[in-house]
Every structure is written in structure tokens, then in C-alpha cells.
Amino acid sequence: MNAETTTTPMVRMEKVTLAFGPNTVLNHLDLEVAAGEKVVIIGPSGSGKTTILRAIMTLERPQHGTIEIDGQHLYHQEQNGELKKASEKHIRSVRSDISMVFQHFNLFPHMTALENITLAPIKVFGKSKQEAEEEGIQLLSDVGLREKAEHRPIELSGGQKQRVAIARSLAMHPKVMLFDEVTSALDPELVGEVLEVLRRLAESGEMTMMLVTHEMGFASEMADRVLMFDQGQILEEGPPSAVLQNPSKERTQRFLKAVLAH
């Protein structure tokens, strides 16, 4: 066996089912994402794309199935060879390897950009204020916002807020970064600056990234794999050249035609 076949996936979802009342959003979903892989998830509204990310981030709990992060069960613990429901402490511990950037930034309005970034490293990891601020300034520099450290969200453009949100997630040193439609709330002229930060992140290579997006040009450029999602399941998957440029499923063809028409 070569090394690749024995490597533990960074994310593994097995038979994950998640329903809201009678509406099944994830339907016996199986998915593996390799360490360092960049996966883009596309599909129509209501297909379950965002719910995948929210289930991994523990914002929505599946009713059935298992999720593992770097070989660790997220919602379960092994006891005497059996999988039991995990304690909140266990879930928090595994979740500390995951960070998520949201569509609407979710920054604390009363805090500066730097305070938004340093809050969790100080509270969660027990870093000193000085250490957290030094790293926070570096992360703001990395996303091109060093001069905005003392600005509050109300003083920032949408694109700047989203870049602060990305820096805040990076401050947690996650193994897995989740991005939920991070450009869809932005004015068109601000989309490029956020995509540029994501592009640099992807090129640095190490981090596992899962992105829900409608930016097809960006997806074709930086994804290792594209998943077309429909009705709670993966309809089609493969490299961007296959799924985006030569899709085999009629549903994917219709979806892409609609997206590209806008």
C-alpha cells in the first residue's frame, strides 16, 4: 500500500443524516476530505451545502451518522469498543481544530479589528495579551489590513470586515477552515480582495479548506475537488476541469448554466 491509502482523512463523514422536521437536508452523506485538500461545494439553494459546514462546526447536530476530524470522532466517544454520545467537553476539544468564516462576518461590533482577532486566543488558548496582539497584527498584515487594527467594524467596508473575519479564524490555528459563501454579501467590487486572500491561503497549501461558493472562476482556479450537491447528497464530484467544464449530470449542467447566466 502506498502512503496515501493509509493516511487518515482530515474530515470524514459517514452516513450523516440531518433533518429539520420533515425536511431531510443531509441524506446518508458520505464524504472524505484529505489533509491539505481544497474542496469547493456547489449546488442550488436549499441543497444542504451550508448544512455540511454547520454540522462540522457543531452548529447543527446530525441525527444519524458520524463525523471525524483528523481521526477523532466529533459527536461520539469510544467506550469499551462502542461509540457513545460524546460529552460537551470532548466536542469542544475536537472542535478547537475547526474554524468557520461566515457570510455575514459575525464580528463583535463594539470591538476593534485587533480585539476581534485576539479575543479567542486569549480566552480559549490562554495566550498573553501581548502575544495575541503581536500575532493579531501579523495576521492583519497578512490580509492587507495592518492600518485598520484600531478600527471598529462600522468603520470598515464589507470586504475589510470579511478579511478581519478570516484573520480571526486563522488566529485559532485550525486544521480545517470552513468558508460559507464568504463573498455573497459583498458589493461586486469588493469580492476580489477577499478572493485574493483566500487564493493566497490556498496556495500556502497546508490547511484543509472547505468552501461553499458561487464564484465558479475562483473554484476552477483553486479547488482540488468540486462537489456538486443536490437534495442532501453529492450528485457529482471530481476536479474542477471535469465538474465545472464538462459535467456529466444534467442537473449539474442546468445549475452551472443558471449560475453563469447571472
Side-chain angles (χ1 to χ4, degrees):
M1 281 172 88
N2 65 30
E4 277 187 29
T5 55
T6 58
T7 308
T8 303
M10 183 54 73
V11 178
R12 176 187 274 143
M13 306 176 82
E14 287 190 357
K15 303 283 180 283
V16 171
T17 299
L18 198 156
F20 301 111
N23 183 20
T24 299
V25 186
L26 301 180
N27 189 0
H28 288 84
L29 176 66
D30 290 329
L31 172 62
E32 289 192 357
V33 179
E37 190 177 13
K38 317 295 180 245
V39 172
V40 166
I41 304 169
I42 65 171
S45 295
S47 61
K49 310 182 299 289
T50 291
T51 308
I52 295 176
L53 304 188
R54 291 180 66 83
I56 293 169
M57 195 64 208
T58 72
L59 297 171
E60 308 286 357
R61 298 205 177 184
Q63 285 87 4
H64 301 287
T66 60
I67 299 177
E68 293 170 51
I69 304 297
D70 200 14
Q72 292 270 325
H73 276 285
L74 181 56
Y75 291 107
H76 299 84
Q77 285 172 285
E78 273 197 40
Q79 289 174 352
N80 306 324
E82 283 185 47
L83 279 186
K84 305 279 189 188
K85 194 175 172 187
S87 66
E88 288 302 315
K89 184 182 176 189
H90 172 87
I91 291 172
R92 276 199 308 275
S93 167
V94 178
R95 190 181 57 206
S96 68
D97 285 332
I98 312 161
S99 212
M100 184 162 171
V101 183
F102 298 87
Q103 185 175 347
H104 294 289
F105 331 124
N106 292 13
L107 296 174
F108 293 111
H110 61 290
M111 292 184 173
T112 65
L114 184 59
E115 287 167 343
N116 265 284
I117 292 167
T118 58
L119 179 68
I122 292 168
K123 294 264 193 223
V124 178
F125 295 145
K127 284 191 175 179
S128 70
K129 187 166 186 269
Q130 183 185 350
E131 188 186 1
E133 286 187 348
E134 282 173 7
E135 185 180 29
I137 293 290
Q138 181 57 55
L139 287 167
L140 281 170
S141 299
D142 291 346
V143 298
L145 291 175
R146 167 68 185 82
E147 74 289 356
K148 301 291 185 184
E150 299 306 319
H151 287 59
R152 287 189 163 76
I154 197 167
E155 303 171 279
L156 303 174
S157 72
Q160 289 169 339
K161 286 181 207 172
Q162 196 56 286
R163 286 188 279 156
V164 171
I166 292 169
R168 179 180 60 179
S169 281
L170 290 170
M172 301 303 287
H173 297 279
K175 294 178 181 177
V176 181
M177 277 273 273
L178 310 173
F179 299 88
D180 182 25
E181 296 276 18
V182 294
T183 58
S184 64
L186 302 179
D187 293 333
E189 66 267 25
L190 300 177
V191 169
E193 67 190 55
V194 174
L195 292 183
E196 183 53 39
V197 170
L198 294 183
R199 198 172 281 116
R200 287 206 307 273
L201 259 186
E203 284 167 0
S204 69
E206 291 168 20
M207 196 179 297
T208 306
M209 296 168 66
M210 297 177 68
L211 306 94
V212 170
T213 186
H214 279 96
E215 298 288 339
M216 296 304 155
F218 174 70
S220 64
E221 209 180 292
M222 59 77 61
D224 297 314
R225 183 162 47 125
V226 175
L227 309 178
M228 169 65 187
F229 219 71
D230 193 39
Q231 297 183 334
Q233 293 184 313
I234 297 165
L235 182 68
E236 184 167 1
E237 64 178 299
S241 57
V243 178
L244 298 180
Q245 280 140 40
N246 194 20
S248 62
K249 303 283 191 202
E250 191 266 342
R251 181 70 189 93
T252 312
Q253 293 165 12
R254 270 192 296 130
F255 170 74
L256 289 171
K257 197 171 176 184
V259 170
L260 298 171
H262 283 297

